[in-house]
Amino acid sequence: MISEPEFVGTVEFDDPEVLTETPPPRPPRARRPWLWALGGAVLASAVWGGGLYAYGQKKDPGPDLGGYKPVEEFCKVAELKGLAGALGKRIDAGFGPSLDEPAISESSCQITFGSAEAGPSVSVTYTLHKVTDPGPEFAARTQQHGVLQKVEGVGEQAFFDDESGQGGRLRVLDGQAEFDFQVYAQGGYEVDGKLIEPPPVDLSGIDVPMTQDALALMQALKK
C-alpha cells in the first residue's frame, strides 16, 4: 500500500507573485477647448489683416486737379475779351480737335478777329493732365519752342515769345492744367489768280491782353 507523502513544515517564497498581463489601453484624451478658441482667433486676425491690406490697396485717386475739369464748349468759355479789344471784333470761331480720356483731356479753339479775310487769328489750347505731372514736359517744350520771356503772376509758370514781332505765344502751366495761346497775322492769299496781301497788323504789346485773357480763362474753367 502506497502511502501519501508526508509534508513536514511549511514552504515560504521570497518574491511576491509577478504580474505578466498587459494593462488595458487608456481612453482617447478629449481635445482641449482652448485650442479651438485659439484657432478661431488666428483666423479672425488673418481676415482682419487681409481687410486692412485690401483697404490700403485702394486705387490712388490721382493728383489734385485744382478745380479744373474737362469742358465741351471750349470756344464759348474762351471769350478772349482782352484780345478783342486789341485786335478788333471777334467774328469767327472754330473748334479744334478734342480729347477726353482717363489720363488726359484737351480742347482747342481758333478765333479770327477784325476781318475774316485779313484779320489776325488766335488759337487757344487747354490740356488737363489727370494722372502725370506735366511740369518736366512743360519746361522741356517751352525751351524747344524758344519761349523764354518769363511772365509773373500767371499760374505757376508762364512764358511769352513775341515771335520776332510777327505774333505772340503765351504758354502757361497752372498745376495740372496747361494753356497755349498763339496770335498770328494772316498771310497772303489768292483770289481769282491774284495774290492778296493783308494789311500789316501791329502786334507789339500783345502779351498784355493775352495775359489778361489767360487769367480770365483759368478762372472760368474752375467754376
Side-chain angles (χ1 to χ4, degrees):
M1 179 176 179
I2 301 174
S3 60
E4 295 179 1
E6 182 179 357
F7 292 92
V8 180
T10 61
V11 179
E12 296 181 358
F13 293 91
D14 296 330
D15 296 329
E17 183 179 0
V18 178
L19 299 177
T20 59
E21 295 183 1
T22 303
R26 296 180 179 180
R29 181 178 299 177
R31 181 171 294 183
R32 299 178 182 176
W34 64 269
L35 292 176
W36 289 98
L38 178 60
V42 171
L43 178 60
S45 177
V47 173
W48 174 249
L52 289 177
Y53 177 80
Y55 180 82
Q57 293 299 312
K58 284 185 176 180
K59 186 178 180 181
D60 186 352
D64 180 9
L65 300 183
Y68 287 107
K69 52 188 176 297
V71 60
E72 293 182 1
E73 298 182 336
F74 180 60
C75 284
K76 291 184 178 180
V77 180
E79 296 181 343
L80 307 185
K81 294 180 178 179
L83 286 169
L87 302 176
K89 183 180 178 180
R90 173 173 169 162
I91 61 171
D92 191 22
F95 289 94
S98 62
L99 175 69
D100 189 10
E101 297 293 337
I104 191 173
S105 68
E106 187 168 273
S107 302
S108 60
C109 184
Q110 184 164 334
I111 304 167
T112 303
F113 293 87
S115 168
E117 294 79 16
S121 295
V122 178
S123 68
V124 186
T125 302
Y126 160 54
T127 306
L128 181 60
H129 303 265
K130 304 176 184 178
V131 176
T132 60
D133 176 15
E137 294 182 6
F138 176 82
R141 286 188 292 184
T142 297
Q143 296 296 328
Q144 178 185 6
H145 291 289
V147 185
L148 302 177
Q149 182 179 340
K150 190 172 183 179
V151 180
E152 300 291 346
V154 184
E156 295 180 3
Q157 300 181 60
F159 298 90
F160 175 77
D161 176 24
D162 67 358
E163 297 185 346
S164 301
Q166 301 302 311
R169 184 170 190 177
L170 176 67
R171 300 190 71 242
V172 180
L173 179 66
D174 188 34
Q176 298 295 119
E178 185 178 356
F179 301 89
D180 190 354
F181 294 78
Q182 294 186 68
V183 177
Y184 49 92
Q186 291 278 13
Y189 57 95
E190 189 174 303
V191 176
D192 297 331
K194 183 178 180 181
L195 181 63
I196 305 298
E197 290 286 350
V201 179
D202 182 11
L203 296 177
S204 60
I206 199 66
D207 57 313
V208 176
M210 290 179 77
T211 300
Q212 295 171 348
D213 288 339
L215 291 171
L217 178 59
M218 291 162 60
Q219 184 176 4
L221 288 169
K222 293 182 180 182
K223 291 183 178 179

